[in-house]
C-alpha cells in the first residue's frame, strides 16, 4: 500500500522516465542510510574460539588523554614531514637513472676488457655519488629521530592507559559480564 502510494507520488513529481528512476534510487539509498544510522547493527570485532573453561575479556580502549591527543597530532605531523623530506628529488632520480644506465652497459660488455674497466670505474663513481645523494640530510635525520621518540612515548602512554583500565576493571568489585563456557 505504502509502496504504491510512494511510486505514484514519485511519478507525479519526477515523471516515469530516467529522472524518476534516479530519484527513486536516491530515496531508497537515503532511507537505507537513515535506517542504518538509527538501527546501529552490531559490528563484528573478532572470531575467537573458546575452549571449555576459558574466558574472554574485552577492555575497550580508554578515552585518550590530552597528552595522548597532543602526541598523536605531533606524530601525524612528523610522519607527514618525514614522507615529504624522504621523497626523491630530481637530482636523486637523475643519479639513479645514470647509475642504472651504466650498470646495464656493464652487463652487456665483456668482462675484463678495457671498455668494461672504463665503464666499471664510471659506475663506481656514479654509485658513490648516488649513495652521497641518497644519504638522509640533517633535517630528515632529526625528523626521523623525533618521530621515533614520539611514537615510543605515545606507545608508553597508551600502554599505561590500558594498564590503568585493566586494573580498574580487575580491582573493582563491579559486576563484569564474563561468560565461562564448559
Amino acid at each position: 500500500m505504502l509502496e504504491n502510494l510512494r511510486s505514484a507520488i514519485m511519478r507525479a513529481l519526477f515523471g516515469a522516465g530516467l529522472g524518476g528512476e534516479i530519484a527513486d534510487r536516491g530515496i531508497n539509498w537515503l532511507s537505507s542510510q537513515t535506517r542504518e544510522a538509527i538501527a546501529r547493527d552490531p559490528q563484528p570485532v573478532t572470531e575467537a574460539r573458546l575452549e571449555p573453561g576459558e574466558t574472554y575479556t574485552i577492555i575497550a580502549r580508554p578515552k585518550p588523554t590530552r597528552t595522548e591527543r597532543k602526541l598523536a597530532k605531533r606524530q601525524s605531523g612528523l610522519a607527514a614531514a618525514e614522507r615529504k623530506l624522504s621523497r626523491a628529488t630530481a637530482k636523486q632520480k637523475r643519479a639513479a637513472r645514470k647509475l642504472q644506465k651504466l650498470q646495464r652497459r656493464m652487463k652487456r660488455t665483456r668482462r675484463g676488457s678495457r671498455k668494461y674497466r672504463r665503464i666499471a670505474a664510471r659506475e663506481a663513481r656514479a654509485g658513490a655519488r648516488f649513495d652521497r645523494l641518497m644519504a638522509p640530510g640533517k633535517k630528515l635525520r632529526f625528523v626521523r629521530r623525533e618521530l621515533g621518540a614520539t611514537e615510543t612515548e605515545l606507545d608508553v602512554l597508551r600502554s599505561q592507559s590500558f594498564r590503568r583500565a585493566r586494573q580498574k576493571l580487575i580491582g573493582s568489585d563491579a559486576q563484569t559480564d564474563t561468560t565461562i563456557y564448559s
Side-chain angles (χ1 to χ4, degrees), residues 26-46:
I27 289 176
N28 285 340
W29 178 82
L30 190 61
S31 64
S32 71
Q33 292 296 315
T34 305
R35 241 181 277 114
E36 206 173 283
I38 294 170
R40 291 277 179 182
D41 292 334
Q43 295 294 317
V45 176
T46 182

Side-chain angles (χ1 to χ4, degrees), residues 9-21:
I9 292 172
M10 294 297 290
R11 272 194 307 274
L13 288 174
F14 299 104
L18 182 65
E21 180 67 27

Side-chain angles (χ1 to χ4, degrees), residues 111-129:
R111 269 192 185 285
S113 68
R114 174 188 266 178
K115 186 177 180 181
Y116 181 85
R117 287 192 305 270
R118 194 171 58 243
I119 293 173
R122 286 179 61 197
E123 190 264 345
R125 285 192 305 272
R129 182 169 191 273

Side-chain angles (χ1 to χ4, degrees), residues 15 25 33 39 45 51 53 61 65 67-68 71 74 91 98 113 117 126 134-135 142 154 156 161:
R25 287 181 187 210
Q33 292 296 315
V45 176
E51 297 292 323
R61 188 200 180 303
T65 61
T67 310
E68 284 180 66
L71 279 173
R74 178 173 165 75
K91 196 181 267 190
K98 184 174 182 178
S113 68
R117 287 192 305 270
M134 291 306 290
F142 173 77
L154 187 59
V156 167
S161 181

Side-chain angles (χ1 to χ4, degrees), residues 111-166:
R111 269 192 185 285
S113 68
R114 174 188 266 178
K115 186 177 180 181
Y116 181 85
R117 287 192 305 270
R118 194 171 58 243
I119 293 173
R122 286 179 61 197
E123 190 264 345
R125 285 192 305 272
R129 182 169 191 273
F130 175 75
D131 290 341
R132 226 179 15 260
L133 287 173
M134 291 306 290
K138 189 185 276 187
K139 190 171 185 179
L140 181 58
R141 286 194 308 266
F142 173 77
V143 167
R144 284 180 176 165
R145 191 171 46 248
E146 287 296 310
L147 180 60
T150 304
E151 286 174 343
T152 304
E153 190 176 350
L154 187 59
D155 289 342
V156 167
L157 280 175
R158 284 178 175 164
S159 65
Q160 288 173 351
S161 181
F162 274 118
R163 194 170 28 259
R164 280 193 306 271
R166 187 165 187 78

